[in-house]
Amino acid sequence: MKKQNIISGIKQYRSQVDTNFHMPGHKGKNEFLGQLIEDISSYDLTETIGTDNLHYPAGFLKDAMDYISKVYGSKKSYMVVNGTSCGIISSIMACTKPGDKILVQRDCHKSVYNASILGDLELVYLYPEFNKKYGLNFSISLEKLDQQLSYKPEIKMVVLTYPTFYGICFDIKKAAEIVHKHGKILMIDEAHGSHLKFSEDLPLPAESSGADIVTQSIHKTLPCLSQGSLLHVCSERVKVDNIEAMLRMLQTSSPSYVLMASIENAVHWMESSGKERLKRNIEIFKERTLELRKIGINVLEENFLIGEGLYSFDATRAVISMSEIGITGTKLQDILRYKYRIQMEFADLQYTVGYITATDEPEDIHRLFDAVKEIYLKESKNKEKGEIIQIEPFPSLQHERKMRSAFYAENIFVKIDESIGRTAAGFIIPYPPGIPLVCPGEIIDQDTADYVKVMLENGINVNGVNENNLVRVVKWKEDL
């Protein structure tokens, strides 16, 4: 029998990691997956007599979505089995027509940019406020949001990320007031915030704070199988028929009943059992965070961030930096993985980030914080400290052509250094978290090329740079 590559690879990973702070939110613990785990093949069905149809629900799938809608307080909720990327693209295309302009937060997920290519849309950027001292994109400026909508009344909708990948939140009620004052639709990518609904100790959930559409990756922070997502329509400003038409077009015609059952189970478990566990874990997280901050470790914490001008912070996000003692985010992630058998969600040049969910046990959280403390106390005594590498703000690159036309243009692959001054034909995306550094149609400059090389040198996976360190650019006549 030939080797089962996927099964073998997963088993090898599991043998190397004892505790994980990455998605999915069930953290590999069967007890949170309900009856599914008992006999998974019996729940793997198709559309037939008595099993309903996700695209035209009239039976138990409709009942499940009605239940989810009631829990989240939406006008209507949809289970999305192609992941939140599908929900985001469906929502944007349902509210726009080819050629329309939409205002987007520059540090949004790549699926927003993909929607602009598929829908032939023009993006207007709202850049986050960058804090150079801490190497973080803080929050969007609501004043600049208002200004953009005043200067460009032709904008059709606004797409914002809440919380960000680092747990940072803005005043969502105020943002909704501004967007609606200008008569626009507000869509919130709440991929990392499906748990906010279940705690009063966290920032307000978008679906009850004025957003018109909310998309959520419940597999990230709830005990759901990967790809399980929700799309909530929260106001009369959104045409439900358009949303449903796009979901039918973009979702698979063979939705997984196992995944749909997992989505409903995750919401039910959170409502019935998860709230108290989440509250307990938030209290432990906050206590241990303050402990580490007192000894000098840069762990993001709400009061500290508010003091720096931030609005609020999701206290389930462990965002840790030891850059001041010369340890990059990727190096810290590696130490946690290979010395302590703890795997985080992702790392950048400065921070390593992990998710704490209701399924974590107190000993899991203590294990992480004990390891971080031990690493810091040891490494801070090391006289030979590594070079401090600063995270850079998003580049404001010149647009040479529309994103869609550049994406479909004739193209070639060139070395990173040879791409300087040329028009990107593809995305360049540090992944995770999946925020494009360069988009099709933008001219790659020297600083951006240098920054990409620094990320690669520090072990960061950069999508759009192939195994030979080549990137895709628009072909010139002289390339022929």
Side-chain angles (χ1 to χ4, degrees), residues 142-197:
L142 298 186
E143 181 181 355
K144 291 179 180 178
L145 170 64
D146 195 13
Q147 289 173 351
Q148 286 274 34
L149 292 173
S150 297
Y151 296 156
K152 296 181 173 66
E154 67 274 20
I155 288 171
K156 296 296 183 181
M157 72 182 301
V158 177
V159 181
L160 303 176
T161 305
Y162 174 99
T164 68
F165 302 92
Y166 297 88
I168 291 172
C169 299
F170 52 84
D171 185 345
I172 190 168
K173 283 191 172 183
K174 182 64 176 176
E177 289 174 6
I178 291 170
V179 173
H180 295 153
K181 178 184 72 174
H182 290 276
K184 312 304 178 185
I185 290 173
L186 174 61
M187 193 197 100
I188 294 293
D189 172 10
E190 201 179 47
H192 298 263
S194 58
H195 60 294
L196 299 180
K197 175 70 178 178

Side-chain angles (χ1 to χ4, degrees), residues 383-436:
K383 294 180 180 179
E384 295 182 7
K385 293 180 172 58
E387 178 187 358
I388 296 177
I389 301 174
Q390 295 288 342
I391 292 178
E392 298 296 330
F394 281 100
S396 182
L397 300 177
Q398 180 182 346
H399 286 258
E400 191 270 333
R401 62 175 71 188
K402 285 186 68 175
M403 198 176 298
R404 180 184 173 93
S405 64
F407 183 82
Y408 284 110
E410 283 194 78
N411 59 83
I412 60 171
F413 283 89
V414 300
K415 294 179 180 178
I416 295 174
D417 287 333
E418 295 173 359
S419 72
I420 297 165
R422 303 193 62 150
T423 303
F427 292 101
I428 298 177
I429 307 175
Y431 198 90
I435 301 169

Side-chain angles (χ1 to χ4, degrees), residues 31-215:
E31 61 265 34
F32 301 113
L33 294 174
Q35 299 178 49
L36 276 177
I37 205 65
E38 297 171 7
D39 185 14
I40 195 168
S41 62
S42 69
Y43 294 101
D44 192 17
L45 298 169
T46 189
E47 296 89 345
T48 187
I49 297 173
T51 62
D52 210 354
N53 185 319
L54 178 63
H55 295 297
Y56 295 93
F60 61 74
L61 295 181
K62 180 181 182 300
D63 293 341
M65 289 188 281
D66 287 345
Y67 162 71
I68 292 168
S69 176
K70 184 177 180 181
V71 171
Y72 279 94
S74 69
K75 177 187 172 187
K76 198 162 187 178
S77 295
Y78 301 89
M79 294 187 290
V80 182
V81 296
N82 284 37
T84 299
S85 292
C86 178
I88 288 172
I89 295 171
S90 297
S91 298
I92 292 173
M93 293 180 68
C95 297
T96 58
K97 295 179 181 178
D100 281 349
K101 289 182 180 180
I102 65 173
L103 179 63
V104 306
Q105 192 169 325
R106 179 60 182 85
D107 56 336
C108 61
H109 188 259
K110 64 178 184 178
S111 56
V112 175
Y113 298 89
N114 289 337
S116 76
I117 293 173
L118 293 171
D120 193 16
L121 305 172
E122 183 178 339
L123 300 186
V124 179
Y125 291 148
L126 182 63
Y127 283 84
E129 301 296 302
F130 183 73
N131 186 299
K132 188 171 181 61
K133 180 179 178 181
Y134 296 104
L136 274 175
N137 285 303
F138 268 22
S139 190
I140 58 167
S141 163
L142 298 186
E143 181 181 355
K144 291 179 180 178
L145 170 64
D146 195 13
Q147 289 173 351
Q148 286 274 34
L149 292 173
S150 297
Y151 296 156
K152 296 181 173 66
E154 67 274 20
I155 288 171
K156 296 296 183 181
M157 72 182 301
V158 177
V159 181
L160 303 176
T161 305
Y162 174 99
T164 68
F165 302 92
Y166 297 88
I168 291 172
C169 299
F170 52 84
D171 185 345
I172 190 168
K173 283 191 172 183
K174 182 64 176 176
E177 289 174 6
I178 291 170
V179 173
H180 295 153
K181 178 184 72 174
H182 290 276
K184 312 304 178 185
I185 290 173
L186 174 61
M187 193 197 100
I188 294 293
D189 172 10
E190 201 179 47
H192 298 263
S194 58
H195 60 294
L196 299 180
K197 175 70 178 178
F198 302 99
S199 175
E200 296 180 355
D201 300 318
L202 298 174
L204 293 171
E207 59 275 9
S208 60
S209 300
D212 300 301
I213 307 173
V214 178
T215 54

